[in-house]
Amino acid sequence: MLVPRSIGPADVESLIATIRRRLPTRRVVACDVRAVTTPDAGTIDALARVQLRARRLGGTIELRNACPALVELIELAGLRDVLPGDGSLRREPRRKTEQRKEALGVEEEGDPGDPIA
């Protein structure tokens, strides 16, 4: 199922109708979101509502070909588990852990007012 460039609350019912037609033959409906290039909170809300309705109908949706902006919004909203996808939703951490030597000669001093020190 190809998701339109911009989706909002008005588009949820038409997407659900498409999912309803496909659920009898499969439990997971792939939603190609490659056209969604400038997602916003309304996009995330609509996708979450579609997923909720799909689950109530006994199925689920899987997002495919998500752009980095959509992936970032999904993560920011904390919906990565709610809106699963193919490999396009799996991102590597932006930063690697620091690998450096510990500074020598730096020691913590105890606070005389601290009873544990």
Side-chain angles (χ1 to χ4, degrees):
M1 171 175 79
L2 187 61
V3 176
R5 182 181 189 115
S6 66
I7 58 174
D11 302 310
V12 171
E13 290 306 317
S14 66
L15 291 172
I16 290 297
T18 303
I19 289 170
R20 188 174 282 137
R21 285 191 304 270
R22 293 182 181 190
L23 279 179
T25 59
R26 61 188 89 143
R27 303 292 357 128
V28 178
V29 176
C31 295
D32 189 343
V33 291
R34 79 178 73 212
V36 181
T37 55
T38 53
D40 58 8
T43 304
I44 301 301
D45 180 62
L47 289 172
R49 288 177 187 275
V50 169
Q51 179 69 289
L52 178 64
R53 296 281 298 277
R55 287 184 178 175
R56 287 181 181 165
L57 293 169
T60 187
I61 64 169
E62 182 180 272
L63 303 181
R64 304 260 170 114
N65 303 312
C67 71
L70 181 58
V71 173
E72 195 168 323
L73 268 177
I74 289 170
E75 289 177 355
L76 183 64
L79 296 173
R80 190 174 195 174
D81 294 333
V82 175
L83 295 170
D86 62 349
S88 66
L89 291 186
R90 285 187 220 112
R91 289 191 352 174
E92 296 297 320
R94 290 184 192 186
R95 295 181 281 156
K96 293 185 179 180
T97 57
E98 292 184 21
Q99 295 178 354
R100 60 181 174 176
K101 293 182 180 179
E102 190 173 322
L104 299 176
V106 178
E107 294 182 23
E108 291 186 26
E109 292 183 18
D111 184 4
D114 188 2
I116 298 176

